[in-house]
Amino acid sequence: MIAVTGASGKLGKATLQFLSEKMNLSKVVAIVRDPEKVVEYEQSGLKIRNADYNDLKSLNEVIKRP
């Protein structure tokens, strides 16, 4: 499993695009503050998790999820 933090930003989206060309995105988790910014990847099997670096509780929830 690969987790991409900041996946809704320029570098994060570029990383998701690169990974989509190399592997099945069902093995990737996108960690973002705003899940709506990566909805174009939903159909690819990408797992999208909502978390914010300034919200420790949200980060802990991402870590606990399978």
Side-chain angles (χ1 to χ4, degrees), residues 49-51 55-66:
R49 303 286 187 261
N50 184 302
D55 181 359
L56 183 58
K57 183 179 178 184
S58 71
L59 290 172
N60 285 330
E61 289 299 316
V62 168
I63 293 169
K64 292 177 186 176
R65 289 180 78 173

Side-chain angles (χ1 to χ4, degrees), residues 1-3 19 23-30 44-47:
M1 183 68 64
I2 296 173
L19 290 172
M23 63 185 293
N24 186 330
L25 287 184
S26 66
K27 299 180 182 203
V28 178
V29 176
S44 66
L46 176 72
K47 295 167 189 65

